[in-house]
């Protein structure tokens, strides 16, 4: 056999092995996605164990506090994993958290090779897990299908590295960029399939945030409704500087069933969480006393309130993100409207934009997804980077990453 032929055969064998490995990692990615909405603030992780060209075990991280993907994969084994290859979408943990280290399980099960997708930026994991595996004589491949694996965990990466929630601004607009008609009507701009998709997003992110304008205009519930699927309702966060929220609106009426936080801005009251002042005599004529009375009424309905004023008399959104992160909220779906969206962009808290574009034209000067004052020059535009385009029913779903965010 000539040297060239031999090289060609070797190259084609390598390509085949690569393709087969991709198939296993793709399977691990599919498994990881099944944990959506249940693992926060942990990452989504999937794992597949392969021996002699067969998948002999697989698993994913199903619920926060419970077994990690690798341990679930080992639990599914019907035969020994000695000499097998483990495909895992994120570096295995090597520390004692709510669960024992996965590196121990990999070593105990005599795995020969570990193929890893994403690098875990958690300082407790970092490079240590790969070092531990290599020290035990296990071959390790890092960064395999890295981009695809990374995209599973935008929320986790932001939360673990910056201790801030990953914020996704979502809206539905017409092709001429309107989110309501000239009379304020906004039901429904997007089609049924897009609206169903939004409920998947509401299940995925732990929090959902809107401005008081949207509450007053639409009286929404902001819960998660998905057919034939166990779902978790997001925690509702309402930005309402002057506490205008009506006590009989749907959000207040359902606050005992679905966790709700109202952020307001009052520089005459102390900043931070408002403790229950139920027994305090707070009836009276002055504005602060009326506000205190409203606070008590909202608390009685089961709502948490936080006072975070900015210099402009509005809610300080950066401070709000800090509070929410400290409260374990790792991801937020921002559902508008245009005024709050503008502040969120200006405060640099938005990481991603998901726009549903409907095949409709409203015309006129009605609301657009981001209002505010607007920029003067094209060069002052917020820079975005295309992430994905997908057709959903008759609409287009377009996702962008926001560049230069915090
Ligand atoms: N098509 C869609 O996808 C979609 C989605 C959502 C909403 N909408 C439509 O949008 C309309 C509502 O939009 P909108 O612009 O009037 O109201 P909005 O953005 O929902 O709420 C704005 C209000 O939030 C309060 N707020 C508190 N803190 C703020 C901060 N830091 N920055 C900005 N605002 C803050 C302000 O009132 P205070 O100063 O009194 O607190 C402000 O006026 C409705 O017609 C709704 O149907 C459409």
């Amino acid at each position: 056999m000539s040297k060239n032929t031999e090289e060609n055969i070797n190259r084609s064998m390598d390509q085949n092995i690569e393709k087969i490995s991709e198939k296993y990692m793709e399977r691990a990615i599919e498994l990881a996605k099944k944990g959506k909405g249940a693992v926060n603030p942990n990452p989504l992780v999937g794992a597949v164990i392969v021996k002699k060209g067969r998948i002999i075990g697989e698993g994913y991280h199903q619920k926060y506090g419970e077994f990690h993907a690798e341990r679930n994969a080992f639990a599914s084994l019907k035969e020994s994993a000695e000499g097998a290859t483990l495909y895992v979408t994120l570096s295995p943990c090597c520390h004692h958290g709510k669960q024992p280290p996965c590196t121990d399980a990999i070593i105990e099960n005599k795995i020969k090779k570990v193929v890893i997708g994403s690098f875990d930026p958690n300082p407790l994991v970092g490079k240590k897990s790969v070092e531990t595996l290599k020290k035990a004589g296990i071959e390790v491949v890092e960064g395999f299908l890295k981009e695809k694996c990374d995209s599973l965990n935008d929320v986790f990466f932001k939360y673990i590295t910056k201790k801030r929630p990953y914020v996704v601004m979502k809206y539905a607009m017409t092709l001429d960029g309107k989110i309501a008609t000239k009379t304020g009507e906004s039901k429904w701009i997007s089609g049924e399939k897009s609206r169903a998709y939004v409920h998947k997003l509401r299940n995925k992110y732990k929090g959902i945030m809107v401005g008081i304008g949207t509450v007053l205009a639409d009286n929404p519930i902001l819960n998660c409704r998905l057919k034939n699927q166990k779902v978790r309702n997001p925690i509702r966060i309402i930005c309402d500087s002057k506490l205008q929220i009506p006590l009989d609106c749907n959000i207040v009426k359902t606050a005992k069933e679905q966790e709700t936080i109202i952020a307001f801005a009052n520089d005459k009251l102390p900043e931070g969480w408002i403790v229950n002042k139920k027994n305090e005599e707070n009836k009276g004529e002055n504005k602060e006393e009326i506000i205190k009375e409203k606070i008590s009424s909202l608390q009685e309905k089961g709502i948490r309130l936080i006072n975070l004023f900015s210099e402009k008399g509005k809610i300080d959104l950066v401070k709000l993100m800090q509070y929410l992160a400290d409260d374990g909220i790792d991801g937020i779906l921002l559902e508008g409207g245009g005024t709050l969206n503008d502040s969120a962009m200006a405060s640099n808290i938005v990481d991603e934009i998901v726009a549903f574009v409907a095949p409709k034209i409203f015309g006129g000067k009605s609301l657009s997804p981001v209002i505010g004052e607007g920029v003067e020059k094209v060069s002052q535009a917020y820079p975005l980077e295309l992430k994905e385009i997908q057709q959903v029913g008759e609409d287009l779903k377009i996702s962008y990453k926001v560049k230069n965010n915090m």
Side-chain angles (χ1 to χ4, degrees):
M1 196 188 301
S2 77
K3 204 176 166 216
N4 267 353
T5 320
E6 198 178 335
E7 274 173 9
N8 282 342
I9 290 172
N10 285 344
R11 197 174 310 125
S12 124
M13 274 172 67
D14 286 350
Q15 281 168 351
N16 268 346
I17 291 168
E18 178 95 0
K19 269 225 166 76
I20 292 165
S21 299
E22 277 180 20
K23 194 182 82 183
Y24 296 134
M25 190 58 100
E26 299 271 10
R27 174 69 191 148
I29 292 171
E30 278 319 302
L31 289 165
K33 287 180 187 168
K34 291 186 177 193
K36 270 185 197 171
V39 301
N40 323 59
N42 275 352
L44 293 170
V45 190
V48 168
I49 304 167
V50 179
K51 195 169 170 179
K52 294 182 187 153
R54 272 184 314 119
I55 294 182
I56 58 163
E58 54 179 38
Y60 65 98
H61 184 32
Q62 298 180 6
K63 201 164 176 226
Y64 177 73
E66 294 185 359
F67 269 175
H68 292 178
E70 300 88 324
R71 285 195 180 265
N72 277 329
F74 287 125
S76 78
L77 285 171
K78 301 259 184 309
E79 60 188 274
S80 160
E82 186 169 355
T85 299
L86 170 75
Y87 291 84
V88 60
T89 55
L90 183 75
S91 0
C93 73
C94 53
H95 61 289
H96 283 270
K98 286 202 175 345
Q99 294 296 334
C102 287
T103 44
D104 285 1
I106 294 169
I107 296 165
E108 281 157 20
N109 279 278
K110 300 193 169 71
I111 289 287
K112 189 175 170 216
K113 181 175 169 184
V114 177
V115 182
I116 299 170
S118 298
F119 172 77
D120 189 339
N122 184 344
L124 291 170
V125 182
K127 289 195 169 120
K128 286 180 222 155
S129 72
V130 171
E131 281 162 13
T132 309
L133 294 173
K134 283 184 177 167
K135 253 190 217 157
I138 296 170
E139 184 189 342
V140 181
V141 176
E142 292 175 80
F144 189 73
L145 291 195
K146 184 177 181 304
E147 233 172 83
K148 276 192 180 170
C149 292
D150 281 357
S151 71
L152 284 170
N153 284 310
D154 291 331
V155 171
F156 172 72
F157 293 143
K158 168 93 186 260
Y159 190 65
I160 203 89
T161 56
K162 304 205 172 156
K163 204 68 188 139
R164 294 276 184 284
Y166 186 83
V167 178
V168 177
M169 181 198 288
K170 168 257 139 193
Y171 51 79
M173 67 174 194
T174 59
L175 191 59
D176 59 337
K178 303 291 193 299
I179 61 163
T181 66
K182 67 175 184 182
T183 58
E185 212 179 286
S186 64
K187 280 179 184 157
W188 299 107
I189 291 173
S190 53
E192 212 173 302
K193 286 203 170 135
S194 298
R195 299 202 305 275
Y197 195 102
V198 168
H199 286 274
K200 284 190 190 169
L201 296 176
R202 286 183 180 182
N203 181 46
K204 180 175 175 191
Y205 299 103
K206 200 164 176 190
I208 185 165
M209 185 162 93
V210 297
I212 185 64
T214 298
V215 175
L216 296 176
D218 301 343
N219 194 16
I221 300 184
L222 304 177
N223 60 1
C224 177
R225 304 179 291 271
L226 280 174
K227 268 185 208 157
N228 312 323
Q229 203 182 314
K230 213 175 145 211
V231 289
R232 171 199 62 180
N233 277 328
I235 299 171
R236 299 176 294 198
I237 303 131
I238 316 295
C239 292
D240 179 11
S241 317
K242 300 189 278 293
L243 288 182
Q244 296 180 71
I245 192 161
L247 291 175
D248 61 353
C249 72
N250 283 330
I251 297 277
V252 177
K253 280 201 289 198
T254 55
K256 291 235 159 92
E257 294 117 55
Q258 188 175 346
E259 208 175 331
T260 308
I261 298 169
I262 297 183
F264 69 104
N266 189 309
D267 61 1
K268 303 282 185 310
L269 292 173
E271 194 172 69
W273 295 110
I274 299 298
V275 287
N276 203 332
K277 293 191 171 70
K278 222 173 161 186
N279 301 323
E280 197 178 288
E281 188 53 53
N282 58 13
K283 284 208 161 64
E285 290 304 310
N286 95 37
K287 223 171 123 196
E288 265 56 60
E289 283 173 348
I290 294 169
I291 289 277
K292 281 184 192 169
E293 198 175 343
K294 182 90 180 250
I295 290 170
S296 292
S297 307
L298 291 168
Q299 284 173 327
E300 270 163 28
K301 305 269 183 193
I303 294 173
R304 279 198 279 159
L305 288 112
I306 181 167
N307 185 18
L308 288 172
F309 43 86
S310 70
E311 282 163 16
K312 292 178 191 154
K314 294 262 180 258
I315 295 147
D316 187 320
L317 295 178
V318 173
K319 283 189 196 164
L320 178 59
M321 292 305 114
Q322 282 162 7
Y323 270 93
L324 296 173
D326 290 345
D327 205 41
I329 297 180
D330 57 352
I332 293 174
L333 189 64
L334 170 61
E335 288 208 20
T339 309
L340 185 62
N341 284 350
D342 171 62
S343 281
M345 288 302 293
S347 309
N348 248 357
I349 62 164
V350 181
D351 296 280
E352 187 176 329
I353 299 178
V354 175
F356 291 89
V357 183
K360 294 181 177 103
I361 302 269
F362 284 169
K365 292 183 187 144
S366 53
L367 293 174
S368 59
V370 182
I371 311 176
E373 296 208 349
V375 296
E376 280 176 17
K377 297 185 180 137
V378 173
S379 58
Q380 292 168 328
Y382 297 107
L384 308 175
E385 186 185 315
L386 185 65
K387 186 181 169 193
E388 192 188 45
I389 303 181
Q390 191 186 339
Q391 185 164 353
V392 182
E394 58 179 14
D395 304 323
L396 280 186
K397 173 183 159 272
I398 313 179
S399 312
Y400 289 97
K401 285 267 186 187
V402 179
K403 290 181 178 176
N404 313 330
N405 60 339
M406 60 172 210

